[in-house]
Amino acid sequence: MLKFNHDEGHNGMKSTYRDVKSDILSKITKGEWGPGSLMPNEVELAETYGCARATVNRAMRELADDGIVERRRKAGTRVRMAPLRQARFDIPIVRCEIEEKGAAYRYSLVSQTVEDVPDWLRARLKLDAGGRALHLVCMHYADGAPYQHEDRWINLAALPQAETADFREVGPNEWLVSTIPFSDAEISLSAALADKSLSAHLGCGVGAAVFAVERLTWWEGQALTYVRLSYQPGHRLTTRY
C-alpha cells in the first residue's frame, strides 16, 4: 500500500485522489479485496492514506463510475461481484453465445501452464522482459460439436491470482469478465489455415480455412490478456453493440 504522512506522499508531494484510486484498484485487481468485499469507510481510508476525506471521496466516486465498486447509502461500499466494463462493446461470453443459439454448452480445459512471456507476446502487449504469463488452451462445444478453440495468455503481473484460479470448470473468458473490467481493447479478424493440432480440436482438415479472432485487452495502460479464438470453416460472427 502507498504510505503517506500528513497529507504528503513520496518526495514531499501531496497525495492525490489518483494515488488513492490507483492503490485501491491495485488491491482489487490483485485479489486483496475480492468481489463482494466490504471496503473500509472513507474516514478509515483517509486515515490510512494520510489525506483529506474529500480526496478519498473523489477516488471512490471515480471507481464507482468506472463500475469497479458499488456504493450504497448506509450499507457502505463493496467491490462489485462482476465489474462493469466502461467501453463501447462487451466482451462476449461464449457460453451465453452458444446457449442463445438454443444449443447445449460444454467446456473443456486442454492445458494450463505458467510460462515466461514469449518475445512475440511481450511486443504485442508492451511488457517488460522477464514477465510471466498463464497460458491456457480450452475448447468450447455446442451440442457436443466443436465450436471455439481458445488459446489465451494472461499477464500474471496484472492478475497474479490467475495462477491459482481453477479453470477446470469455468473458462478464463468468464473468469476475466467477472474479475476485472477493461479500458482498452484491440480486435483483429482474419482467415487462417488450420494446423494439425487445430484441425484435431475443431474436427476439420489440415489446411482448412478457419475463422480467427485475436483480442488484446488492457486496464488503464496495463496489459491483461491476449487471446486467439478459432472457429470451424463457415463460422459467422454476429456482434451486438
Side-chain angles (χ1 to χ4, degrees), residues 106-151:
R106 183 168 68 84
Y107 160 79
S108 175
L109 176 63
V110 177
S111 64
Q112 176 176 341
T113 56
V114 174
E115 303 176 25
D116 293 335
V117 178
D119 290 341
W120 66 266
L121 183 60
R122 185 163 54 84
R124 293 286 300 272
L125 294 180
K126 300 178 176 63
L127 297 174
D128 294 331
R132 295 162 65 248
L134 181 65
H135 185 200
L136 299 137
V137 177
C138 316
M139 278 298 300
H140 305 271
Y141 299 88
D143 284 341
Y147 181 84
Q148 181 193 87
H149 178 271
E150 178 179 0
D151 188 344

Side-chain angles (χ1 to χ4, degrees), residues 147-150 198 202 210-213 228-232:
Y147 181 84
Q148 181 193 87
H149 178 271
E150 178 179 0
L198 193 57
L202 289 179
V210 299
F211 179 62
V213 178
R228 182 179 178 86
L229 307 171
S230 300
Y231 302 83
Q232 286 185 319

Side-chain angles (χ1 to χ4, degrees), residues 163-211:
E163 186 171 354
T164 56
D166 187 353
F167 293 108
R168 290 172 298 179
E169 300 297 330
V170 177
N173 172 226
E174 291 194 49
W175 183 86
L176 283 161
V177 168
S178 67
T179 300
I180 191 170
F182 65 93
S183 56
D184 298 280
E186 176 185 316
I187 300 176
S188 301
L189 311 177
S190 65
L193 300 180
D195 59 16
K196 185 175 181 180
S197 174
L198 193 57
S199 69
H201 282 109
L202 289 179
C204 60
V206 175
V210 299
F211 179 62

Side-chain angles (χ1 to χ4, degrees), residues 1-5 8-10 48-49:
M1 177 182 286
L2 297 174
K3 294 185 180 296
F4 301 101
N5 185 27
E8 291 191 346
H10 299 293
T48 297
Y49 288 101

